[in-house]
Amino acid sequence: MAPVKPIEIRGRTVAGGAQPLICTPLVGRTRGAVLDELAAVMPKKPDLIEWRIDFFEAIADTGLVIDLARALKAGAGDAPILLTCRSSREGGERIPLADTGVVALLEAACAAGCIDLIDYELSNAAPDLRRLRAVSREHGVAMIMSYHNFQSTPDAAALVAKFTAAAGEGADIAKVAVMPRGPRDVLTLLEATLTASETLQIPLISMSMGAVGSLSRMFGWVYGSAVTFAVGKASSAPGQIPIDELRAVLAQVRRAVTGG
Amino acid sequence: MAPVKPIEIRGRTVAGGAQPLICTPLVGRTRGAVLDELAAVMPKKPDLIEWRIDFFEAIADTGLVIDLARALKAGAGDAPILLTCRSSREGGERIPLADTGVVALLEAACAAGCIDLIDYELSNAAPDLRRLRAVSREHGVAMIMSYHNFQSTPDAAALVAKFTAAAGEGADIAKVAVMPRGPRDVLTLLEATLTASETLQIPLISMSMGAVGSLSRMFGWVYGSAVTFAVGKASSAPGQIPIDELRAVLAQVRRAVTGG
């Protein structure tokens, strides 16, 4: 199997190094809706919780975002909180903040000590990416640098280049999410993930989206993807599988693939 | 998804065209052991039953083989019987029959009307392969032509050439089973299966063996493999998964991949 690198936050390995970690997104529009999602999701024991703040209607109010992040942290038990403001250019919601506003918000969240990871796209302006890298590191917040393509799957070399670029920018974790046009594109994503996992030292996250891409959510970890995203209450990307179903398949796949 | 071609026997689609068909091998050494296996397996409702006669200690007695084949046919309900004498050159047991004896035995089984399919390796002498093709066709028995490699996984072009050679020899079904040396080889097998399924008109069967290869037993149908082999009572090749577990995973994968 591919050498999956465990994800560490402040020196602690998340979920004891489980392979893969299961991450559940929260996509509510209001404080109440997000807290309801957390309450619905926690009994399903996700390893990681991603709050997609581009869905949050009060995103322009930094105080409200940080208050809610604190509430999530308090309610999430051992599961780290990943804060993501997915750019509308890469599949996120449209938000009333310019890029500078997003950077300021993520900086404030890092400084407030209420989150464990942030996700920021590689396609952002280099000065913003580097500033957030420095600020997140200063506050012990892990940084995912990501690439999304909702139209197609670039070739394996191009995908490896994205993982490599993230590592080159000092990412703690590199993420690639792409849309397949058929089952062959899922193989391309897995091949690229395996190649990157053999050459890079940081943990990787990858997935092929949509219905056929859901294969990668079930067996991408065999090719080096450290995290798989699953639906808790509502999905944040096409092809996500309900967490209970995903966990059952992962257990079977793990048993078969490890021969145990 | 890949265009999986349904397997037909005497004009009837097996198991209503289920994708994939689940085939269970019988590997008992005595008549009693084989019948016990059948009895243990039938409640698990395999779509296809393979009797591996290279495991059968009385293989040199044509009458005993045909008698037992008749008993299996009588006890197998709607599940067709696949008769396979796997060559020791391709992973089978050592048997007290020369190649000519195997051909004569398979001919007799076809003529006796008690089996539905035979499997014969492409690596056999061309006159034997062609003779069995003619005889099986004459008796309405479907013929699988197969390639096995227990050492490694040749590159995708070489695997596509095996599928293509089988089609060129008039096989009803082409089968390729190879051993991976790592997870990348599983992608190679899936890629080759997909390519062959896009170009050939006959159903294909493929699998990557061993622990990591078991992925292909769960997901190979998405890439065009019409049959997956599962353990009923005892396995016949490395990496086979118990039929109940495989069926559960297949149901989950089908739901995810078809978006339903």
Side-chain angles (χ1 to χ4, degrees):
Chain A
M1 285 192 291
V4 175
K5 284 99 185 169
I7 292 180
E8 294 188 0
I9 293 174
R10 300 185 188 94
R12 197 179 129 256
T13 301
V14 177
Q19 290 182 15
L21 301 182
I22 298 180
C23 180
T24 301
L26 306 179
V27 296
R29 302 210 169 267
T30 65
R31 178 181 172 94
V34 173
L35 290 172
D36 281 353
E37 274 184 290
L38 183 72
V41 157
M42 285 309 293
K44 299 176 182 176
K45 303 190 192 311
D47 300 307
L48 200 60
I49 290 170
E50 179 183 50
W51 180 23
R52 281 281 303 272
I53 55 173
D54 51 305
F55 282 90
F56 187 52
E57 62 187 20
I59 187 173
D61 186 325
T62 300
L64 290 181
V65 170
I66 289 176
D67 275 356
L68 182 45
R70 280 218 176 84
L72 295 176
K73 183 73 187 154
D78 286 339
I81 304 290
L82 161 61
L83 194 71
T84 300
C85 181
R86 179 68 58 236
S87 159
S88 62
R89 297 183 299 273
E90 298 203 13
E93 301 292 290
R94 295 173 69 97
I95 56 170
L97 281 182
D99 288 356
T100 50
V102 172
V103 173
L105 175 59
L106 293 175
E107 279 190 57
C110 286
C114 55
I115 59 167
D116 303 291
L117 307 96
I118 57 170
D119 177 320
Y120 198 61
E121 296 91 6
L122 279 166
S123 63
N124 283 294
D128 290 345
L129 188 76
R130 288 167 191 170
R131 180 171 177 80
L132 274 173
R133 171 65 290 191
V135 171
S136 58
R137 184 171 281 138
E138 182 186 344
H139 294 288
V141 172
M143 186 169 183
I144 300 172
M145 295 187 197
S146 60
Y147 166 74
H148 302 78
N149 186 326
F150 281 72
Q151 276 69 55
S152 63
T153 300
D155 65 28
L159 298 181
V160 171
K162 296 295 181 187
F163 287 120
T164 305
E169 289 289 350
D172 297 299
I173 301 162
K175 177 186 167 188
V176 164
V178 289
M179 188 64 80
R181 290 187 173 162
R184 183 170 276 111
D185 284 343
V186 182
L187 304 183
T188 300
L189 181 276
L190 295 171
E191 164 73 28
T193 307
L194 181 58
T195 299
S197 77
E198 290 165 343
T199 53
L200 303 176
Q201 300 306 311
I202 58 173
L204 309 177
I205 302 173
S206 75
M207 67 281 295
S208 184
M209 296 184 284
V212 70
S214 66
L215 290 177
S216 70
R217 301 185 186 279
M218 298 182 262
F219 66 99
W221 62 279
V222 179
Y223 292 84
S225 178
V227 178
T228 183
F229 288 71
V231 178
K233 205 169 171 204
S235 81
S236 66
Q240 285 175 3
I241 302 165
I243 187 167
D244 295 332
E245 292 181 29
L246 182 62
R247 204 188 297 277
V249 172
L250 289 173
Q252 295 279 8
V253 172
R254 198 176 292 115
R255 186 154 53 229
V257 165
T258 60
Chain B
M1 283 192 291
V4 175
K5 283 98 184 171
I7 292 180
E8 294 188 359
I9 293 173
R10 301 186 187 94
R12 197 178 128 256
T13 302
V14 176
Q19 290 182 13
L21 301 182
I22 299 181
C23 180
T24 302
L26 306 180
V27 296
R29 301 209 169 268
T30 64
R31 179 182 171 95
V34 173
L35 289 172
D36 281 353
E37 274 184 288
L38 182 73
V41 158
M42 286 309 293
K44 300 176 181 176
K45 302 190 193 312
D47 300 307
L48 199 60
I49 291 170
E50 179 183 50
W51 180 24
R52 282 282 302 273
I53 54 173
D54 52 305
F55 282 90
F56 187 52
E57 62 187 20
I59 187 173
D61 186 326
T62 301
L64 289 181
V65 170
I66 289 176
D67 275 356
L68 182 47
R70 280 219 175 83
L72 295 176
K73 183 72 186 156
D78 286 339
I81 302 292
L82 162 61
L83 192 72
T84 301
C85 180
R86 179 70 57 236
S87 158
S88 61
R89 296 183 299 272
E90 298 204 12
E93 300 293 290
R94 294 174 70 98
I95 57 170
L97 282 182
D99 289 355
T100 50
V102 171
V103 172
L105 176 59
L106 292 175
E107 279 190 56
C110 287
C114 54
I115 58 168
D116 302 291
L117 306 96
I118 57 170
D119 178 319
Y120 198 63
E121 295 91 5
L122 278 166
S123 63
N124 283 295
D128 290 344
L129 188 75
R130 289 167 190 168
R131 179 171 178 79
L132 274 173
R133 171 64 291 191
V135 171
S136 59
R137 184 172 281 138
E138 182 187 343
H139 295 288
V141 172
M143 184 169 183
I144 301 172
M145 295 187 196
S146 60
Y147 167 74
H148 303 77
N149 186 327
F150 282 72
Q151 276 69 55
S152 64
T153 299
D155 66 28
L159 298 181
V160 171
K162 296 295 181 187
F163 286 121
T164 305
E169 289 289 350
D172 296 301
I173 301 162
K175 177 186 168 190
V176 164
V178 289
M179 188 64 80
R181 290 188 174 163
R184 183 170 277 112
D185 284 341
V186 182
L187 303 183
T188 300
L189 182 275
L190 294 172
E191 164 74 27
T193 307
L194 181 57
T195 298
S197 78
E198 291 165 342
T199 53
L200 302 177
Q201 300 307 310
I202 57 173
L204 309 177
I205 301 173
S206 76
M207 68 280 296
S208 184
M209 296 183 284
V212 70
S214 66
L215 290 177
S216 71
R217 301 186 186 277
M218 298 181 263
F219 311 112
W221 63 278
V222 179
Y223 292 85
S225 177
V227 177
T228 183
F229 288 71
V231 178
K233 207 169 170 205
S235 82
S236 66
Q240 286 176 2
I241 302 165
I243 187 168
D244 295 333
E245 292 181 28
L246 182 62
R247 204 188 297 277
V249 172
L250 289 173
Q252 295 279 6
V253 173
R254 198 176 292 115
R255 186 153 54 229
V257 166
T258 59

